[in-house]
């Protein structure tokens, strides 16, 4: 585990780059999961900064990881 990944595990909300690195997925995959409603605002991601809803996203690593794992298992069975 890299030092970046270790630091990410200690914080609840992390950047898009960090969550992609930790999970080994692309930004586009993360974006598609968000747009399809697999990942939901408040639980999996939030916007930060005072930019009227257009700020960068932060991700809750543990929630995202658990949801993606469960989602991929269900879709592999079909």
């Amino acid at each position: 585990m890299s030092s970046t990944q270790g630091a990410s595990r200690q914080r609840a909300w992390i950047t898009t780059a960090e969550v992609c690195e930790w999970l080994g997925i692309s930004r586009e995959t993360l974006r598609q999961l968000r747009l399809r409603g697999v990942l939901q605002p408040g639980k999996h991601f939030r916007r930060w900064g005072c930019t009227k809803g257009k700020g960068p996203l932060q991700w809750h690593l543990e929630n995202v990881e658990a949801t993606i794992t469960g989602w991929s298992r269900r879709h592999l069975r079909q």
Side-chain angles (χ1 to χ4, degrees), residues 5-6 19 21-22 28 48 72 77:
Q5 289 176 335
V19 78
E21 179 184 347
W22 181 262
E28 183 59 22
W48 62 282
S72 61
R77 284 188 220 141

Side-chain angles (χ1 to χ4, degrees), residues 16 19-20 25-41 44-45 47 57 59 64 67-68 71 75:
T16 299
V19 78
C20 288
I25 61 175
S26 69
R27 284 177 174 265
E28 183 59 22
T29 298
L30 193 63
R31 180 180 167 276
Q32 287 299 318
L33 290 170
R34 181 174 57 88
L35 293 176
R36 292 178 183 178
V38 176
L39 302 177
Q40 301 172 357
H44 300 104
F45 66 92
R47 295 219 181 256
L57 294 174
W59 300 87
V64 172
T67 297
I68 289 175
W71 181 82
H75 284 79

Side-chain angles (χ1 to χ4, degrees), residues 44-78:
H44 300 104
F45 66 92
R46 67 183 184 187
R47 295 219 181 256
W48 62 282
C50 52
T51 56
K52 298 184 182 180
K54 296 187 180 189
L57 294 174
Q58 288 184 323
W59 300 87
H60 194 283
L61 178 60
E62 290 180 10
N63 290 347
V64 172
E65 187 174 35
T67 297
I68 289 175
T69 300
W71 181 82
S72 61
R73 284 184 185 152
R74 282 191 304 276
H75 284 79
L76 288 173
R77 284 188 220 141
Q78 295 177 352

